[in-house]
Amino acid sequence: MAVPTVYFLDDDENIVKLVKFGLRSEQLEVKFFNHPNELLEAIKIEYPDVVISDVMMPDIDGIELIEKLRGMSRQMPIILVTAKAAVDTAVRAMKAGAFEYLLKPINFEELKLAIGRAIEVGRLRNEVAEFKSGFKARYSYDNLVGESEKIVAIREFIKRISSVTEAIILLRGESGVGKNLVSRVIHYTGPMADKRYLEINCASLPSNLLEAELFGYEKGAFTDAKTSKKGLLEVASGGTVLLDEITSMDLQLQAKFLSFIENKRIRRVGGLEEMPVDLRVVSATNSELEADVAAGKFRSDLFYRINVVSLVVPPLRERGKDVILIGRKLIEDFNSKFKKQVRGFTAAAERKLLAHDWPGNVRELRNVVERAMIFAGGEYLDADEIAMSDISQPASVRDGLHLPKGLTFDEIEAEYLKKVLEWNNFNLEAAAKQLGVTRKTLWEKRKKYGLLN
Ligand SMILES: Nc1ncnc2c1ncn2[C@@H]1O[C@H](COP(=O)(O)OP(=O)(O)OP(=O)(O)O)[C@@H](O)[C@H]1O
Ligand SMILES: [Mg+2]
């Protein structure tokens, strides 16, 4: 690691001399400044790891300095030093964002410890910032690959909607079209990008647990509630929450959820107090909501409430050449994952991609490209390496399950699950029905075999 840089600011020459001496044997690069403006000039060129400053100075005081530094893109920890044992200044300094507060005369051991801690905290802050910007890069508009009119329109929609944080957004579309991806892009390109983004799949839990998960609970609310716990809506406050497969909520929870949307208040399970929660709500579904409403499975008032701003993410088959653009992006992703250097598709492979109707949409494409990349021998993926379930094949071939020797029960289950999803055009409701399991069980199996992404 590079030697940390420390900027030390004091208008008293004697103190500067003393500190120079006191820190001489430390593994630090310490630069000294007599005037705040000098320090601010230097910061334009290079960010230090820590700033140490006197509180009382001509022109601007230490607290104003903190405020100026806080406006900068990188947040370095600031240690303030002062001659006066003034508690109110200390409080103001900490409120303004000082990392620590030391009293003169300077005790060098204390100062060295404070610098060490500040460096560590600064490093962590930077890691967090990088982590967040990594997410931002991962979920920028560019990740929504495609040049078709429909995808361009979706990017436009996201640009307009991402700044409107009060809007409730409903994302609709077949399985695998990219609803989760769109939701993440909405969050990470909007003003809440630094706040929490949480996803919950409403099919993943039985109703009472889903309620506890969303709204939280107080100690003793039910047998297992040994302590109180914040719900996701509370945790994501200020940020965004995606309620995936919203039609899996039962009618009672739908009512509670509607009341939350209308009042922006929650009450934990078993709790008495209501508390305000302000967050962006995105919901997603791949089922026919209108039909669910007609069948009495989904409350119409909730439907009207969440359907105000809705976006239909179109199936891949309606996006023309996007299938190739997305395919190439996937090749890049898998190149780095599998350490390969595949350069693209052959012309024949591209024709095959364009001719397929992609019932499983981008997720199916992803699986197809992944499988091809695992076996890929050449520089370009060829048509025969790209194997999707071919609907032009006779039903006897298409509908069969061909199992190589030596599979475990788990592998057989995973293969069969993939087939059943294909047979049902990735309609989860229908697939669950055919398998004779609940949507929750289906969701768990998909998770187990990595078929959710
Ligand atoms: N336009 C796109 N460009 C690149 N990758 C995409 C695009 N759309 C979707 N994907 C990828 O396809 C996969 C499936 O997308 P996602 O999980 O968002 O679908 P979904 O609509 O939420 O599906 P489901 O209804 O089954 O939950 C993900 O790996 C996602 O990153
Ligand atoms: Mg999804």
Side-chain angles (χ1 to χ4, degrees):
M1 206 176 88
V3 176
T5 313
V6 176
Y7 282 6
F8 187 93
L9 170 66
D10 201 310
D11 59 328
D12 185 337
E13 271 299 330
N14 290 325
I15 302 252
V16 167
K17 271 189 205 150
L18 208 65
V19 172
K20 252 186 202 164
F21 182 75
L23 296 179
R24 72 192 179 289
S25 58
E26 294 300 299
Q27 283 291 315
L28 296 171
E29 192 182 330
V30 192
K31 291 186 182 163
F32 294 90
F33 303 90
N34 299 114
H35 196 281
N37 290 342
E38 280 175 29
L39 181 133
L40 290 170
E41 277 306 305
I43 282 183
K44 284 185 189 154
I45 300 161
E46 172 208 41
Y47 283 114
D49 294 287
V50 181
V51 173
I52 306 170
S53 168
D54 188 16
V55 174
M56 299 302 217
M57 282 173 302
D59 305 334
I60 62 172
D61 68 20
I63 292 180
E64 284 171 70
L65 181 73
I66 292 179
E67 271 151 15
K68 281 217 156 84
L69 293 180
R70 278 214 317 184
M72 308 212 151
S73 64
R74 219 179 101 173
Q75 306 262 303
M76 49 232 134
I78 302 156
I79 299 171
L80 284 184
V81 187
T82 183
K84 276 200 244 156
V87 177
D88 61 323
T89 319
V91 171
R92 275 206 300 141
M94 296 312 276
K95 269 198 187 139
F99 171 71
E100 224 174 305
Y101 190 83
L102 302 177
L103 293 181
K104 284 181 187 174
I106 295 176
N107 170 330
F108 285 109
E109 284 317 306
E110 214 181 9
L111 180 64
K112 284 175 201 167
L113 283 175
I115 293 173
R117 280 195 298 270
I119 290 169
E120 183 59 20
V121 164
R123 203 178 54 74
L124 286 174
R125 277 188 200 164
N126 286 334
E127 265 174 24
V128 171
E130 270 164 35
F131 180 71
K132 282 181 177 162
S133 65
F135 263 119
K136 276 188 216 169
R138 195 157 153 213
Y139 297 116
S140 65
Y141 300 110
D142 302 343
N143 296 90
L144 214 61
V145 178
E147 293 308 326
S148 63
E149 235 173 79
K150 289 185 174 171
I151 282 299
V152 171
I154 285 181
R155 281 200 291 266
E156 284 304 315
F157 172 90
I158 296 176
K159 270 180 203 159
R160 272 183 282 124
I161 204 70
S162 66
S163 58
V164 190
T165 55
E166 310 80 47
I168 296 168
I169 302 167
L170 175 63
L171 301 175
R172 311 180 66 168
E174 292 175 12
S175 187
V177 287
K179 296 183 294 296
N180 286 57
L181 181 61
V182 167
S183 170
R184 288 172 200 175
V185 176
I186 290 174
H187 174 78
Y188 286 107
T189 57
M192 297 161 150
D194 289 332
K195 298 284 167 49
R196 292 295 274 274
Y197 172 81
L198 296 174
E199 294 183 351
I200 180 150
N201 190 309
C202 299
S204 68
L205 293 168
S207 194
N208 55 338
L209 290 187
L210 181 62
E211 178 181 3
E213 202 59 37
L214 284 175
F215 292 89
Y217 50 82
E218 294 296 345
K219 188 175 165 182
F222 42 87
T223 336
D224 285 338
K226 305 263 187 282
T227 56
S228 62
K229 188 179 170 229
K230 283 187 185 175
L232 291 179
L233 298 174
E234 204 178 327
V235 173
S237 192
T240 303
V241 69
L242 168 68
L243 291 136
D244 210 353
E245 297 201 39
I246 184 138
T247 49
S248 297
M249 255 189 212
D250 75 5
L251 288 165
Q252 224 180 332
L253 189 54
Q254 286 173 25
K256 182 162 178 175
F257 185 64
L258 175 64
S259 131
F260 154 70
I261 288 181
E262 288 185 332
N263 308 317
K264 299 227 162 194
R265 302 178 76 79
I266 57 157
R267 189 163 66 212
R268 292 186 188 167
V269 177
L272 297 172
E273 267 169 65
E274 283 203 332
M275 54 192 126
V277 164
D278 193 19
L279 78 176
R280 186 211 304 268
V281 176
V282 182
S283 41
T285 182
N286 55 28
S287 72
E288 283 298 324
L289 267 176
E290 287 83 353
D292 288 337
V293 171
K297 285 196 279 184
F298 201 79
R299 292 179 66 106
S300 59
D301 46 6
L302 180 58
F303 170 69
Y304 291 120
R305 194 68 189 80
I306 63 171
N307 195 31
V308 179
V309 180
S310 81
L311 173 71
V312 179
V313 185
L316 188 56
R317 78 190 78 88
E318 290 174 11
R319 298 189 219 165
K321 294 207 171 87
D322 281 2
V323 58
I324 291 167
L325 300 180
I326 299 173
R328 287 182 190 150
K329 161 83 168 22
L330 291 167
I331 288 181
E332 275 174 38
D333 293 351
F334 290 119
N335 268 337
S336 53
K337 185 170 169 194
F338 299 141
K339 312 234 172 334
K340 294 217 171 187
Q341 267 134 23
V342 176
R343 304 170 64 149
F345 300 103
T346 63
E350 290 192 350
R351 279 195 299 276
K352 190 166 174 182
L353 293 177
L354 284 167
H356 186 57
D357 75 340
W358 302 108
N361 294 295
V362 186
R363 183 175 298 112
E364 183 186 0
L365 175 62
R366 201 187 144 88
N367 292 342
V368 165
V369 173
E370 180 170 18
R371 213 176 313 161
M373 293 279 293
I374 290 171
F375 298 112
E379 277 196 325
Y380 292 88
L381 297 183
D382 205 354
D384 59 353
E385 290 173 302
I386 291 177
M388 42 257 192
S389 61
D390 187 353
I391 38 169
S392 63
Q393 277 183 336
S396 58
V397 176
R398 187 172 21 112
D399 292 347
L401 180 65
H402 301 279
L403 296 173
K405 276 186 195 162
L407 294 186
T408 63
F409 276 135
D410 269 3
E411 284 161 349
I412 294 168
E413 190 172 63
E415 283 305 308
Y416 187 62
L417 184 54
K418 279 188 217 161
K419 267 289 175 205
V420 173
L421 286 168
E422 266 173 34
W423 290 333
N424 289 286
N425 279 345
F426 296 84
N427 180 320
L428 303 178
E429 185 102 30
K433 202 166 169 193
Q434 182 177 347
L435 291 164
V437 298
T438 60
R439 282 186 62 147
K440 174 174 176 291
T441 306
L442 179 62
W443 185 86
E444 276 164 358
K445 297 279 186 203
R446 283 168 71 210
K447 188 175 162 75
K448 179 173 174 192
Y449 299 122
L451 299 173
L452 284 175
N453 254 303

